[in-house]
Amino acid sequence: MPRGKLRHAAKVPLFSPKCPVSEKARDWVETSVDWLRAEFGDTALFGEVLVPSSVLSLWSGSELTDAERVLELICARMDAPRASIDLRLTEDEADPSLGGTVPLASQWSGDAGHYRRDGDRFVVAVSRGELRSPVSLTATLAHEVGHVRLLGENRISPDQYDQEQLTDLITVVFGLGVFTANAAFDYHQDSTGWRTQRLGYLGEQLLGYALAYVAHSRGEQAPAWAAHLDTNPRAYMKQGLRYLKARGS
């Protein structure tokens, strides 16, 4: 089915579990996951689902080495051309609004990393600050490698309306959705006080349903890897799985 063609509304019996996202969002997730599966094959969908321990085992304390090792792992899972990708670390950009006198600071970053093509090479850059969190670093690098597979291989156009959202979604199909979902919202305390940070383009609710649809497509009703999800995306995923089971397709 071509992407963008609206499906018929799913028929769910009265009083059945409710889908955690709107009808429009549900259709986008399912149509897009099916398209990605058709593009990249069942090896993408049915491969290993990576969890935080997969990345923490690579951590050495050396910034560039750690980032290189994580990138290597991601490229292997996403079948991306690691030899053609150049990794760059960029300095954090100071935000004057996040001063030490602010008790609760919020920050959103859809583009904690950057991707560009340079001739026959791909340049992936991540903020040095991402190295403080293995989960955030992995989510960011997976998103940028998603650009390599989608934009770099000319599978989508850079001006496609949902290209960034689709690039988040490809990480779910390629088994890196735990990182993308857990990095979508972070609430923590540092030297300046309590801070929230949102990373990515989909959010916890939509990612939770995407994870549910991928698990359902893999024939998994209670996947062990779901235990590694943060509370909110795990709850949305469970709700999505109940809905999909009741729907029966």
Side-chain angles (χ1 to χ4, degrees):
M1 177 187 300
R3 289 199 65 243
K5 183 178 180 181
L6 186 66
R7 301 176 174 200
H8 294 298
K11 294 182 179 180
V12 183
L14 196 60
F15 306 121
S16 288
K18 183 180 178 182
C19 184
V21 297
S22 70
E23 183 69 9
K24 183 177 180 181
R26 179 200 64 78
D27 181 77
W28 180 85
V29 167
E30 295 180 11
T31 302
S32 298
V33 168
D34 291 348
W35 178 80
L36 288 165
R37 180 179 181 179
E39 282 288 303
F40 296 102
D42 283 350
T43 54
L45 184 72
F46 289 97
E48 180 184 7
V49 176
L50 299 180
V51 297
S53 59
S54 310
V55 169
L56 289 173
S57 64
L58 305 175
W59 225 244
S60 68
S62 171
E63 290 185 345
L64 186 56
T65 299
D66 290 343
E68 291 276 6
R69 287 175 174 174
V70 173
L71 180 59
E72 191 81 29
L73 177 71
I74 292 168
C75 286
R77 178 60 182 90
M78 296 183 71
D79 197 22
R82 175 65 187 93
S84 299
I85 299 175
D86 297 322
L87 177 64
R88 301 281 186 269
L89 298 182
T90 63
E91 297 303 320
D92 300 339
E93 294 183 6
D95 186 341
S97 70
L98 304 181
T101 60
V102 181
L104 177 62
S106 295
Q107 184 176 10
W108 180 86
S109 175
D111 54 355
H114 301 278
Y115 156 87
R116 65 181 171 86
R117 186 163 189 167
D118 187 5
D120 60 351
R121 303 204 55 81
F122 306 104
V123 179
V124 167
V126 293
S127 165
R128 198 175 294 274
E130 295 299 299
L131 295 168
R132 302 182 192 114
S133 167
V135 170
S136 181
L137 173 66
T138 305
T140 301
L141 284 173
H143 181 90
E144 303 312 320
V145 172
H147 279 312
V148 172
R149 301 250 37 206
L150 291 171
L151 292 173
E153 296 175 10
N154 299 312
R155 295 177 188 271
I156 62 172
S157 167
D159 58 3
Q160 183 168 312
Y161 81 97
D162 63 348
Q163 67 103 350
E164 290 290 2
Q165 290 83 357
L166 195 62
T167 307
D168 266 359
L169 192 62
I170 194 178
T171 69
V172 181
V173 173
F174 270 100
L176 287 143
V178 171
F179 297 92
T180 303
N182 287 354
F185 180 80
D186 181 42
Y187 180 65
H188 64 276
Q189 187 177 28
D190 61 18
S191 60
T192 66
W194 288 96
R195 183 182 300 262
T196 65
Q197 178 172 317
R198 292 171 174 81
L199 184 71
Y201 295 87
L202 294 181
E204 294 176 305
Q205 197 164 351
L206 206 150
L207 282 165
Y209 186 67
L211 287 160
Y213 188 67
V214 164
H216 181 76
S217 300
R218 288 164 56 100
E220 298 175 319
Q221 269 301 309
W225 50 263
H228 298 276
L229 288 166
D230 287 348
T231 301
N232 287 347
R234 184 169 69 248
Y236 291 129
M237 178 184 173
K238 288 181 177 179
Q239 183 182 349
L241 282 168
R242 289 194 296 270
Y243 162 80
L244 287 163
K245 182 179 181 180
R247 194 177 75 179
S249 63

